[in-house]
Amino acid sequence: MFEPLRPIPPGRRTALGVLFFVLFIAAWAGATFGGLVKPLFLADPLKTLNAGISLFAEFGFLGDVAMTIWRVVGGFAIAAVVAVPLGIAMGAFKPVEAFFEPFISFARYLPASAFIPLLILWAGIGEAQKLALIFIGSFFQIVLMVAVTVGATRMDLVEAAYTLGADRTGIVRRVILPGAAPAIAETLRLVLGWAWTYVIVAELIGASSGIGHMIMDSQRLLDTGQMIFGIFVIGVIGLISDFLFKSLNERLFPWNFGR
Amino acid sequence: MSRLRVEEVARTFPGVRGGPPTVALQPTDIEVADNDFITILGPSGCGKSTLLRIVAGLDRPSSGRVVLDGKPVTGPGRDRGMVFQSYTLFPWLSVADNIAFGPRERGVPKPEQDALVARYVERVGLKGFEHHYPKMLSGGMQQRTALARALANDPAILLLDEPFGALDNQTRALMQELLLGIWEADRKTVLFVTHDIEEAIFMANRVAVMSARPGRIKTDLRIDLPHPRHYTIKTTPEFAAYKARLTDEIREESIRAAAMVP
Ligand SMILES: Nc1ncnc2c1ncn2[C@@H]1O[C@H](COP(=O)(O)OP(=O)(O)OP(=O)(O)O)[C@@H](O)[C@H]1O
Ligand SMILES: [Mg+2]
């Protein structure tokens, strides 16, 4: 059963994945209904569910969710559109890499959240500030990861392409890009996950809508049910987007999957 | 008529971490005539791949030059097709698209590409596998695809670097016959690197024996066996005589190679 690296049937895989959720909720229910923690600190599952229903039914939470998704996708898309080509250029052409790499490595360690006060000063608390934060948080990561991926292109394939008559453009377009594409898609999937943490941070601090804003509001009312529900929704959206990304990758790069 | 001339080509690799430089190839000369099938035979590490890579334009000689059809080689190009020692099919392309890579790159119209693919898939016996990805193929099938990919690009000279080295004996023998059949039909000019004596004799009209590292061509032996050749030729006395002679030469070099291991 525990043979290293041995795959398991898809049905059992799903069952095991669901089992953990069940155990997790059971432990949560046990702790709250059993009175181990005070309701003030942790709402029980039922109360959380009720809070969620009323959020959607009475407080227009769907609008908040849509707003947050829009911000993440928007900021992330802007970052990706600039970062992926730059990363490819850096990975493929060493002078470009030498020019940008030191600065980007430096910028990558600047904590995005620390920019919030500055961004508020520059862009107010409107949408631009939130997009900018997500951009800062994602851009440098994508550039570096894409550059590393592209730089690791198999040299033997490049040489094979040269002996088949490919020119430099051909090498980039028909060897480097297709070879790096799956790993670039994987990078985007990972960084999109991080972009979610930035959007919530941005919304916690200065926003009048969004999931983060709702969580902040609920804290004022000490409504742990709503807070937990908000966090839970973020998790669910992440799970869905991850799943979509993965199945898109498998469809786009069939040669990379299965044996 | 001489097609390819290797003139005094030598290659020294710089030392690793302050170590002494490695002389991989001493000044080497070879002349390859049109329709030649030359095998380069030598012990491991004697610089066979280095020589072939220089001819392909993938590596630069430290001195000397390579001349193809009167023009000095300055870099890789489609006139010198290569099949590598390792598997180098493009993993994201199907067998058919791998074979069509060269023609597509030089803008051959799609219908002609398809015709080329059909022809070479047939040639190397991969019918029915056109839409498989390299991952789904055995090693032998991958090397056959690589051979088809090189041939479909119609190079002036075909460079083969131990293409069957990783295959089992039976598959290897089949591949030798396949390649020889293609050569007998098309009369391509071929430079084939190997360390297998039988393989070298079976396919070649000339065997160039390399000395142990630092390598150079120490013997250039004509193989006067009739064509078309059948695998049964390997049991004839003529074949055995060539084999005995080359075994001696190689043994000498292998002993020298083993003695000078750093
Ligand atoms: N890029 C390199 N840098 C340094 N030394 C190298 C490099 N490539 C090859 N060499 C050295 O050159 C020598 C010849 O290598 P080469 O790959 O040409 O041998 P070979 O005859 O093809 O051997 P094999 O039959 O094992 O493939 C070896 O001693 C190797 O260490
Ligand atoms: Mg070699």
Side-chain angles (χ1 to χ4, degrees), chain A residues 8-107:
Chain A
I8 59 169
R12 188 162 331 149
R13 200 187 171 85
T14 315
L16 283 172
V18 169
L19 178 64
F20 189 86
F21 273 97
V22 171
L23 289 177
F24 180 80
I25 292 173
W28 174 20
T32 46
F33 290 130
L36 290 175
V37 283
K38 280 195 206 148
L40 177 63
F41 297 117
L42 185 62
D44 60 56
L46 267 181
K47 236 177 110 188
T48 304
L49 191 64
N50 281 331
I53 292 170
S54 78
L55 269 176
F56 278 117
E58 296 160 37
F59 298 99
F61 186 50
L62 207 58
D64 285 309
V65 173
M67 198 63 200
T68 303
I69 292 180
W70 185 90
R71 284 171 184 151
V72 179
V73 173
F76 178 76
I78 297 171
V81 162
V82 189
V84 171
L86 180 59
I88 291 171
M90 282 171 60
F93 304 106
K94 297 306 153 192
V96 180
E97 182 173 72
F99 185 64
F100 286 112
E101 210 258 358
F103 180 80
I104 291 178
S105 293
F106 156 77

Side-chain angles (χ1 to χ4, degrees), chain A residues 154 156-157 159-167 170-171 174-175 178-179 254-259, chain B residues 53 58 76-78 80-82 84 86-92 101-102 104-105 133 135 149 153:
Chain A
R154 278 173 57 188
D156 55 344
L157 298 185
E159 292 185 338
Y162 271 129
T163 64
L164 289 165
D167 55 12
I171 296 292
R174 298 197 49 209
V175 181
W255 54 270
N256 203 26
F257 297 88
R259 308 205 163 207
Chain B
R53 288 174 56 81
L58 296 172
R78 82 165 201 94
R80 283 147 295 140
M82 181 133 169
F84 294 82
S86 57
Y87 300 127
T88 57
L89 293 182
F90 304 111
W92 54 88
F101 188 96
R104 192 180 135 184
E105 198 60 11
Y133 287 107
K135 224 177 191 172
R149 181 176 71 174
N153 210 23

